[in-house]
């Protein structure tokens, strides 16, 4: 079986010859990975070897070496190294900026073909164009993250989940196909590879209550299917019941394929609410970041939202909190503080509270611009699933009206949808949630 050519784009064309390198970045898994399968397909065609390379930079957006999210990722990469090795695929952990590291590695290894996975984020696109400028071999990109490749789903930025859903539906049956298993490449990599891993003290994802890696991801999916799926539609918006799937850290790092999740769940029945979040909402975020270069600033928000926020720029704010006060969960609002603490402790805030959390940052900041910067900074620093298109779309939705519509006008928010403390208390048992988080903080 061949990888659907619609998933693949040539960043640099040419005739492939020699060993193949898959520069893995966003899709850190062996199973169900179209980029790896494509790299293997080329290696087989050329009767050549394959190496997977991961470039570790000292910082990635708000996360850096020694942070919980880095440790979480490194734990997953350790497992990946073993799984690749059992398939006869070399794994190289390289250090430094991919724009330099990847071309040097290609020169040193004599590789004849470069494959990368796709990300719509600016940093990844910049790295890829730096690499493309320096290499002289064919360089192909595979969308292994989205079910419908981002460049096929829509040719423009979609304004709502509704318009995007209609477009995705047209392509889903073509791309929602079962994955073949990965098989060893025809030849082993020329040299054995000894990776230098960061200091063992920083490797354990200590302080992180969520287990990392492809195996843990598969187990979490099984657990959700047996224990959570049936009550997802009715309870997913209840933070006191914790009825979400818990899959986002794995999906974010690509330790689990969203298409695998969709295939397994579709085989069980009609779970529309879950599948809509997993497919439409998630892929809409990629659509936003891919087509809007200002995805992380107010400039990228819809015109109506910017106008209404401008009209209310000088409204009096009852509270204004600094970044440090927000980071330290030191506001007057016990529900907000609990949500912030959940993120600090677990690395994953409940989805329903994320909306409230970001909207309150808008209410308590000097300006919408400050609010968006603060929300993204905290989200990217502390969420295990942060630094992801979903985070930019989620903060944009809450603060900048992205993918939303105007609501009744009110101070500070203008026509941006508002969420109140009282409203949250009516929807779920806020006391129970706050108590649970405070017990967690005491442990
Ligand atoms: C302010 C704010 C910030 C957010 N930051 C992030 C982030 O950094 N990373 C991230 O992955 N998600 C983010 N989200 C979206 C959503 O809250 C999380 O994806 C979800 O809570 C993750 O938990 P789960 O996997 O248990 O979700 P489930 O409800 O079980 O959903 C399953 C999967 O569907 C997708 N999904 C669910 N809700 C959304 C949504 N609203 N938008 C896009 N995809 C969705 C995710 O991939 C999720 O893992 C943010 C939302 C808001 C409002």
């Amino acid at each position: 079986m061949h990888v659907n050519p619609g998933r693949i784009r040539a960043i640099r064309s040419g005739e492939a010859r020699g060993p193949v390198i898959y520069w893995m970045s966003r899709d850190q898994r062996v199973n169900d990975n179209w980029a790896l399968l494509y790299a293997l397909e080329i290696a087989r065609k050329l009767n050549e070897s394959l190496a997977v390379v991961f470039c570790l930079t000292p910082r990635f957006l708000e996360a850096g070496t020694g942070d919980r999210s880095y440790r979480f990722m490194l734990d997953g990469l350790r497992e990946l190294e073993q799984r690749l090795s059992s398939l006869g695929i070399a794994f190289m952990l390289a250090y430094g900026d991919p724009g330099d590291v990847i071309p040097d590695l290609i020169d040193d290894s004599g590789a004849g073909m470069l494959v990368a996975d796709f990300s719509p984020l600016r940093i990844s696109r910049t790295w890829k164009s730096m690499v493309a400028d320096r290499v002289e071999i064919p360089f192909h990109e595979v969308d292994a993250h989205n079910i419908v490749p981002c460049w096929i789903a829509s040719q423009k930025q979609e304004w709502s989940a509704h318009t995007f859903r209609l477009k995705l539906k047209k392509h889903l049956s073509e791309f929602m196909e079962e994955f073949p298993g990965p098989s060893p490449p025809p030849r082993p990599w020329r040299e054995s590879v000894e990776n230098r891993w960061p200091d063992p003290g920083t490797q354990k994802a200590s302080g992180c209550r969520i287990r990392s890696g492809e195996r843990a991801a598969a187990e979490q999916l099984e657990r959700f299917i047996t224990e959570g799926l049936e009550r997802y539609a009715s309870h997913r918006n209840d933070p006191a019941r914790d009825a979400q799937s818990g899959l986002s850290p794995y999906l974010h790092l690509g330790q689990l394929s969203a298409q695998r999740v969709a295939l397994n769940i579709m085989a069980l029945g009609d779970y529309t609410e879950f599948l809509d979040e997993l497919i439409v909402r998630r892929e809409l975020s990629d659509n936003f970041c891919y087509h809007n270069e200002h995805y992380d600033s107010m400039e990228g928000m819809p015109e109506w939202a910017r106008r209404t926020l401008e009209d209310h720029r000088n409204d009096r704010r009852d509270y204004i909190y600094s970044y440090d006060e927000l980071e330290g969960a030191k506001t007057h609002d016990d529900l907000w503080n609990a949500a912030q603490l959940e993120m600090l402790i677990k690395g994953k805030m409940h989805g329903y509270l994320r909306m409230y959390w970001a909207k309150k940052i808008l209410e308590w900041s000097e300006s919408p611009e400050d609010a968006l910067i603060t929300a993204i900074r905290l989200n990217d620093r502390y969420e295990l699933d942060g630094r992801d298109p979903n985070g930019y779309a989620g903060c944009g939705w809450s603060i900048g009206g992205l993918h939303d519509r105007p609501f009744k006008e009110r101070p500070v928010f203008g026509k941006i949808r508002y969420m109140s403390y009282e409203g949250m208390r009516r929807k779920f048992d806020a006391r129970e949630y706050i108590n649970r988080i405070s017990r967690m903080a005491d442990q």
Side-chain angles (χ1 to χ4, degrees), residues 256-297:
L256 179 67
S257 140
Q259 187 164 340
R260 163 58 53 216
V261 179
L263 285 165
N264 288 12
I265 287 183
M266 284 161 83
L268 298 172
D270 180 17
Y271 293 100
T272 315
E273 286 81 1
F274 178 76
L275 291 169
D276 204 61
E277 299 294 338
L278 177 79
I279 303 175
V280 180
R281 282 279 164 195
R282 199 182 44 78
E283 305 207 351
L284 180 62
S285 304
D286 261 40
N287 167 275
F288 167 56
C289 294
Y290 184 60
H291 289 288
N292 190 327
E293 60 177 318
H294 303 295
Y295 58 76
D296 51 358
S297 74

Side-chain angles (χ1 to χ4, degrees), residues 78-150:
R78 279 282 208 181
E79 185 188 323
L80 183 98
E81 179 184 47
Q82 286 167 8
R83 304 203 65 211
L84 286 171
S85 142
S86 69
L87 281 168
I89 301 171
F91 176 74
M92 298 180 201
L93 184 68
Y95 289 81
D97 199 307
D100 298 321
V101 170
I102 296 289
D104 288 349
L105 204 97
I106 286 169
D107 285 347
D108 294 348
S109 65
M113 170 82 197
L114 178 64
V115 175
D117 45 39
F118 162 79
S119 164
L121 297 188
R122 222 164 18 240
I123 186 167
S124 308
R125 291 161 84 158
T126 307
W127 283 341
K128 281 195 188 124
S129 68
M130 284 167 75
V131 169
D133 284 347
R134 278 194 50 196
V135 299
E136 286 176 359
I137 59 173
F139 177 14
H140 291 183
E141 176 178 49
V142 181
D143 189 348
H145 214 78
N146 292 293
I147 299 173
V148 178
C150 189

Side-chain angles (χ1 to χ4, degrees), residues 153-327:
S154 171
Q155 312 317 312
K156 64 178 183 73
Q157 184 188 335
E158 294 295 329
W159 293 106
S160 71
H162 175 67
T163 58
F164 190 57
R165 192 177 292 112
L166 298 175
K167 293 197 172 170
L168 269 190
K169 270 192 178 152
K170 284 197 215 141
H171 301 286
L172 264 183
S173 59
E174 177 186 351
F175 290 100
M176 188 68 86
E177 51 194 341
E178 194 37 86
F179 294 87
S183 52
R187 291 166 189 267
W189 194 249
R190 289 170 196 176
E191 307 154 4
S192 68
V193 180
E194 273 298 322
N195 285 314
R196 184 172 52 85
W197 288 86
D199 186 323
T202 64
Q203 267 175 38
K204 272 263 146 283
S206 55
C208 176
R209 295 159 192 232
I210 303 174
R211 277 174 51 232
S212 176
E214 214 172 329
R215 201 167 299 123
E219 285 167 15
Q220 181 63 28
L221 174 58
E222 272 314 298
R223 200 171 310 121
F224 172 60
I225 287 175
T226 49
E227 295 170 13
L229 185 57
E230 288 301 335
R231 57 193 192 107
Y232 182 83
S234 51
H235 295 320
R236 78 191 145 122
N237 285 341
D238 183 343
R241 298 200 201 215
D242 210 5
Q244 289 191 282
S245 69
L247 293 176
S248 59
Y250 306 114
L251 292 170
H252 161 65
L253 286 178
Q255 294 178 351
L256 179 67
S257 140
Q259 187 164 340
R260 163 58 53 216
V261 179
L263 285 165
N264 288 12
I265 287 183
M266 284 161 83
L268 298 172
D270 180 17
Y271 293 100
T272 315
E273 286 81 1
F274 178 76
L275 291 169
D276 204 61
E277 299 294 338
L278 177 79
I279 303 175
V280 180
R281 282 279 164 195
R282 199 182 44 78
E283 305 207 351
L284 180 62
S285 304
D286 261 40
N287 167 275
F288 167 56
C289 294
Y290 184 60
H291 289 288
N292 190 327
E293 60 177 318
H294 303 295
Y295 58 76
D296 51 358
S297 74
M298 284 306 292
E299 245 183 301
M301 299 301 130
E303 181 62 33
W304 70 264
R306 283 192 285 151
R307 210 174 322 118
T308 190
L309 287 168
E310 191 57 45
D311 291 345
H312 291 270
R313 183 175 290 282
N314 298 322
D315 290 359
R316 193 176 71 83
R317 273 88 171 142
D318 289 337
Y319 301 90
I320 290 186
Y321 291 112
S322 66
Y323 178 84
D324 290 348
E325 286 167 324
L326 293 168
E327 184 182 44

